[in-house]
Amino acid sequence: MASNAENIENLVGQSYEAGFYTDIEQEMLPPGLNEATIRFISAKKNEPEWLLEWRLKCYQQFLSLTEPVWANVTYPSIDLQAISYYAAPKRDEDRPKSLDEIDPKILETYEKLGIPLQEQKVLAGIAVDIVFDSVSVHTTFREKLAEVGVIFCSFSDAVREYPDLVRKYLGTVVPARDNYFSALNSAVFSDGSFVYIPKNTRCPMELSTYFRMNAENSGQFERTLIIADEGSYVSYLEGCTAPMRDENQLHAAVVELVTMDDAEIKYSTVQNWYPGDEDGKGGIYNFVTKRADCRGKRSKVSWTQVETGSAITWKYPSCILRGDYSVGEFYSVALTNNLQQADTGTKMVHLGKETKSTIISKGISAGKSENAYRGLVRVGGSAENARNYTQCDSLLLGDRSAAHTFPYIECKNPTAQIEHEASTSKISEDQLFYLRSRGIKQEDAINMIVNGFCKEVLKELPMEFAVEAQKLLGISLEGSVG
Amino acid sequence: MLEIKNLHVAVEGKEILSGINLTVNAGEVHAVMGPNGSGKSTLSHVLAGKEGYEVTKGSILFKEKSLLDLEPEERAGEGVFLAFQYPIEIAGVNNVYMLKAALNGIRAYRGEPELSSVQFLKMVKDKVKAVGLDEGLLNRQVNSGFSGGEKKKNEIFQLSVLEPTLAVLDETDSGLDIDALKAVADGVNKLRIATRAFIVVTHYQRLLDHIVPDFVHVLSQGKIVRTGDKELALTLEERGYDWLAEENLV
């Protein structure tokens, strides 16, 4: 909003308390956003000059942008000056090398959140890069991945160890000026993950990152960059949980994916951040920019998301189908309950010849929630024989929730084929009675019907993730039917 | 086992059942026949606890408990099963998965431990053969893309797994050709045991050629107007329902 931008500009003009941002021992930055904040973050992370300059340039672009208002969500204006932009866990220098070295209290929190890290490490062979607040505290399996040349590390490490790769791709998929939140992220991003899959390499395991937020008043600004070089493949899992809390927290992440010729990235998300309580108090504001650039011929990106958390979700994982014969897929389940609001969907931009995209979106609205699908299919003049299939289904529970569909189609090539199917239904009394008459409790029956409704999307998730997602849908619907 | 006393049921203020009295004992098979609109399906639905029916008078006791006080899933736990006239399709839900949840729901209600997947699948394999259901249907979505006959067989298969003490078959013969009818009836006959009672609701006598009832009740305008043995069904087949209606007026 304009007033916000003015505030920011006023504050930028103010002098900062001398010496504050040179104090490298400082573990938490006091709330506030200005150029000094950015310099502090960059200095704290020992970033090279080019990155600081990039951040500052992005910050200038951010100042020229305003908060978007077109989404079907309402919330009070966010005071960016009330957010702290850097928080690191204690004993930063003393990074643990294995789980045994991690504070048992932290492990306990993860256990409570249902993230059996130990088990996953051993049983599933998943490499886990945990982002605890802003700094990555743990990376496993890195050596094993290194054997095949796969780079999977925190973003900060990547800046230090692979600066050329980072510099080559950072901001090339989501330019800072893309939108208000992506510009903010570009200026102040804390940490995140970096993945590089070399040519003709199939990543030997699923890469998984668990995110969470903990520290008081700390906004989280994750930055993820995944590059799949020619003929490579990677499956990347992102799961998110957040502890109970009362204050709204802003989360503005940016995820950039790049696929070269014949490369494929499968990106799966289960998002379960704190949605706020039944009265809409608290909860995460999840304003995320995720985009894939299918640069190479025959490359493919598949987004699968299960969104059950956050007070507000504003998220459109997109594909730019630049390479000829490239393929984009978007499978989404968005569930809203109580006073949650979701405005989510995708953009499929067809630029190359014979490009193909599939969109399957399942929206479930319960309580008094608002759930919107917003999707753009754009076919450029050069995209001969582009094809898109879109299916958007909405399921309503109760009579106080709402479902909306905003499909946009822009087609500049007459050879394109675009299909759109949409349905809205209420959970059927007949189905409920059928299951209950078989001995299944009402709540379980609803879960079963909802899970069935989402089946087409859930089956796109890796096995363990699908099970987790199913449980999550059940938990998220608790108390939705009286 | 089941005692229905002076049951009056209304739908949206209109009385559909007007004083039903029916006693069913373990091991018995009762046929409830009657013309369209006589209240047959209403009776089935009220027994299973479907919403939208208002019981204005009367009682239903099942094993000395008031059935009307129980939720549909609790009735299932007590041992009531309804085979639907039009089995419901549930997209995306696996048939066996649903059945396992149902059986374990019933077991939990009774304070019995859950069956493991291994135990459950072994039992299912045995039972699916007994009712002549194509094993391939087990892992399909519930009733989705099933033929009419397959849907009805699936109902009987569910009955065989859930092992109710009272099974209500609501027009199980509707929409079946003669071969499918026979197959379904064979399935039911195998499930007739001394501890289980059946209420077979049907419009036509032909089902009763295959599932031979101990009692036949004729429902007309919300009342049981005649009770007899299997011969009554044959008479109805010959003379139609009008004859009874007329006689009743006399």
Side-chain angles (χ1 to χ4, degrees):
Chain A
M1 320 238 162
S3 61
N4 221 11
E6 276 168 34
N7 280 341
I8 293 161
E9 286 193 56
N10 290 339
L11 283 157
V12 169
Q14 290 177 9
S15 65
Y16 221 77
E17 221 176 298
F20 158 63
Y21 49 87
T22 56
D23 178 9
I24 298 297
E25 297 310 309
Q26 180 88 34
E27 295 299 344
M28 177 119 177
L29 194 59
L33 175 64
N34 53 40
E35 233 177 83
T37 314
I38 293 158
R39 289 182 186 277
F40 175 87
I41 296 168
S42 194
K44 185 78 186 161
K45 298 164 85 67
N46 292 319
E47 285 178 354
E49 191 59 26
W50 66 264
L51 190 51
L52 173 62
E53 274 165 25
W54 189 76
R55 283 178 182 271
L56 292 171
K57 199 183 82 195
C58 294
Y59 180 63
Q60 288 307 317
Q61 288 172 334
F62 165 75
L63 294 176
S64 69
L65 295 166
T66 50
E67 212 172 326
V69 291
W70 43 262
N72 189 45
V73 295
T74 48
Y75 56 91
S77 183
I78 300 164
D79 182 3
L80 294 177
Q81 297 304 339
I83 293 171
S84 167
Y85 291 86
Y86 186 85
K90 286 196 176 118
R91 298 190 302 273
D92 193 318
E93 304 307 311
D94 195 10
R95 294 276 188 88
K97 282 161 198 70
S98 79
L99 284 176
D100 308 335
E101 292 176 38
I102 292 204
D103 185 349
K105 280 243 161 80
I106 293 178
L107 291 178
E108 198 182 309
T109 313
Y110 283 130
E111 293 295 323
K112 274 186 199 153
L113 292 168
I115 306 166
L117 191 56
Q118 298 275 25
E119 268 179 44
Q120 284 197 355
K121 212 178 110 183
V122 180
L123 295 175
I126 290 175
V128 178
D129 180 356
I130 304 167
V131 177
F132 194 94
D133 288 337
S134 307
V135 175
S136 172
V137 293
H138 191 76
T139 303
T140 52
F141 288 93
R142 209 168 146 184
E143 289 90 9
K144 195 178 169 189
L145 291 170
E147 275 172 32
V148 289
V150 170
I151 302 168
F152 177 36
C153 62
S154 74
F155 203 90
S156 308
D157 287 351
V159 169
R160 266 193 302 277
E161 294 171 34
Y162 313 98
D164 295 344
L165 275 176
V166 175
R167 203 171 174 178
K168 186 172 171 192
Y169 292 100
L170 179 67
T172 62
V173 184
V174 180
R177 64 185 173 279
D178 187 80
N179 68 71
Y180 182 80
F181 295 112
S182 68
L184 176 63
N185 174 287
S186 301
V188 302
F189 70 86
S190 40
D191 209 332
S193 293
F194 177 83
V195 177
Y196 174 78
I197 315 291
K199 283 182 188 173
N200 302 317
T201 303
R202 196 180 166 87
C203 186
M205 61 187 77
E206 275 161 348
L207 302 181
S208 169
T209 306
Y210 285 96
F211 295 93
R212 58 182 295 261
M213 288 173 259
N214 202 33
E216 196 74 17
N217 279 329
S218 70
Q220 188 149 355
F221 303 93
E222 301 288 344
R223 188 89 198 185
T224 302
L225 176 57
I226 302 178
I227 302 138
D229 215 329
E230 287 170 26
S232 69
Y233 170 85
V234 64
S235 167
Y236 188 86
L237 318 181
E238 171 197 59
C240 321
T241 50
M244 273 290 259
R245 52 179 305 120
D246 278 330
E247 285 163 70
N248 290 315
Q249 277 189 310
L250 172 64
H251 183 256
V254 171
V255 175
E256 296 180 285
L257 312 184
V258 179
T259 48
M260 311 309 259
D261 287 357
D262 300 293
E264 179 178 351
I265 298 175
K266 185 175 170 57
Y267 193 107
S268 311
T269 305
V270 172
Q271 187 267 115
N272 180 30
W273 280 321
Y274 182 53
D277 67 12
E278 283 166 29
D279 303 318
K281 192 164 181 262
I284 306 293
Y285 290 180
N286 187 24
F287 301 148
V288 185
T289 306
K290 290 183 168 177
R291 193 173 302 157
D293 189 352
C294 294
R295 285 184 197 170
K297 287 177 182 155
R298 297 168 301 275
S299 65
K300 179 178 175 183
V301 167
S302 184
W303 297 102
T304 305
Q305 61 172 25
V306 175
E307 303 280 322
T308 62
S310 297
I312 301 174
T313 299
W314 180 96
K315 182 181 174 190
Y316 314 90
S318 306
C319 296
I320 298 164
L321 302 171
R322 202 183 299 278
D324 293 345
Y325 301 95
S326 60
V327 174
E329 292 175 342
F330 174 73
Y331 300 98
S332 168
V333 169
L335 182 152
T336 51
N337 196 0
N338 298 318
L339 287 163
Q340 278 178 282
Q341 307 173 64
D343 193 301
T344 183
T346 184
K347 285 192 276 188
M348 292 291 177
V349 180
H350 293 255
L351 300 175
K353 294 186 185 80
E354 310 280 345
T355 47
K356 219 170 97 178
S357 63
T358 304
I359 300 170
I360 309 280
S361 163
K362 305 279 183 176
I364 301 140
S365 335
K368 292 183 207 158
S369 66
E370 293 271 343
N371 199 330
Y373 166 81
R374 187 182 303 275
L376 168 70
V377 176
R378 178 184 288 155
V379 178
S382 56
E384 292 290 315
N385 295 318
R387 279 200 291 160
N388 162 264
Y389 173 74
T390 300
Q391 186 190 328
C392 265
D393 298 319
S394 305
L395 185 67
L396 295 166
L397 275 74
D399 50 14
R400 294 175 303 166
S401 58
H404 312 272
T405 306
F406 305 101
Y408 304 83
I409 296 172
E410 296 171 17
C411 185
K412 292 197 178 118
N413 190 310
T415 62
Q417 269 185 48
I418 298 170
E419 285 177 75
H420 182 96
E421 284 182 25
S423 76
T424 302
S425 52
K426 289 189 78 166
I427 200 156
S428 141
E429 290 296 325
D430 284 342
Q431 289 182 332
L432 269 183
F433 174 59
Y434 188 70
L435 293 176
R436 294 178 72 191
S437 78
R438 296 303 180 249
I440 298 169
K441 281 189 197 146
Q442 174 158 285
E443 206 157 88
D444 296 340
I446 290 168
N447 283 346
M448 201 177 271
I449 293 167
V450 167
N451 270 300
F453 174 76
C454 302
K455 183 80 160 231
E456 283 165 279
V457 172
L458 296 179
K459 74 176 168 55
E460 296 295 329
L461 289 172
M463 186 63 167
E464 296 86 350
F465 234 34
V467 173
E468 207 175 293
Q470 275 188 7
K471 279 190 204 148
L472 192 56
L473 290 176
I475 293 167
S476 307
L477 280 173
E478 267 172 18
S480 65
V481 178
Chain B
M1 176 188 287
L2 178 76
E3 205 166 347
I4 304 176
K5 276 189 185 160
N6 192 29
L7 184 70
H8 289 251
V9 176
V11 176
E12 289 170 0
K14 188 177 173 239
E15 188 163 90
I16 308 289
L17 297 181
S18 319
I20 300 283
N21 291 292
L22 180 64
T23 302
V24 177
N25 296 310
E28 295 175 351
V29 174
H30 291 246
V32 174
M33 303 185 69
N36 293 330
S38 58
K40 300 191 301 290
S41 279
T42 298
L43 180 61
S44 310
H45 290 158
V46 169
L47 283 169
K50 190 173 181 178
E51 280 174 29
Y53 297 91
E54 194 195 346
V55 176
T56 51
K57 216 190 272 183
S59 63
I60 304 177
L61 285 184
F62 180 65
K63 298 189 219 163
E64 273 122 46
K65 270 190 194 158
S66 171
L67 212 53
L68 296 172
D69 296 337
L70 302 178
E71 297 292 332
E73 57 269 33
E74 294 172 325
R75 299 184 196 203
E78 292 292 335
V80 176
F81 179 89
L82 171 65
F84 280 52
Q85 179 179 5
Y86 304 110
I88 309 293
E89 297 182 11
I90 302 173
V93 176
N94 177 291
N95 210 16
V96 175
Y97 171 77
M98 185 277 276
L99 198 52
K100 180 164 174 267
L103 183 63
N104 281 329
I106 288 171
R107 291 178 70 94
Y109 179 82
R110 294 176 187 163
E112 295 165 4
E114 283 198 358
L115 280 190
S116 71
S117 294
V118 176
Q119 288 169 312
F120 178 76
L121 285 174
K122 188 183 176 305
M123 179 186 75
V124 159
K125 293 242 156 152
D126 294 342
K127 302 218 166 177
V128 77
K129 280 193 199 100
V131 296
L133 186 74
D134 176 4
E135 229 182 280
L137 295 181
L138 288 179
N139 285 311
R140 293 250 297 271
Q141 299 176 20
V142 178
N143 292 319
S144 215
F146 286 30
S147 72
E150 285 167 344
K151 281 185 184 173
K152 297 301 175 74
K153 272 189 204 165
N154 194 30
E155 294 290 286
I156 304 307
F157 165 61
Q158 291 179 11
L159 195 168
S160 75
V161 171
L162 300 179
E163 300 184 319
T165 41
L166 174 68
V168 182
L169 312 185
D170 188 9
E171 308 222 17
T172 292
D173 52 330
S174 71
L176 293 187
D177 61 36
I178 194 70
D179 291 331
L181 181 76
K182 258 191 205 156
V184 168
D186 282 350
V188 172
N189 286 329
K190 284 181 193 153
L191 298 170
R192 286 177 72 163
I193 51 173
T195 51
R196 180 175 296 147
F198 283 86
I199 295 177
V200 182
V201 174
T202 180
H203 190 76
Y204 297 105
Q205 188 273 334
R206 59 174 193 169
L207 178 65
L208 306 180
D209 283 343
H210 304 284
I211 305 173
V212 180
D214 301 302
F215 301 93
V216 174
H217 310 278
V218 179
L219 200 59
S220 176
Q221 293 179 336
K223 280 188 177 140
I224 291 177
V225 294
R226 180 70 67 101
T227 293
D229 60 12
K230 61 182 179 184
E231 298 304 322
L232 176 59
L234 291 170
T235 313
L236 286 171
E237 176 81 355
E238 213 172 282
R239 302 180 60 180
Y241 288 109
D242 289 346
W243 146 74
L244 264 180
E246 281 161 24
E247 197 169 86
N248 246 29
L249 289 176
V250 174

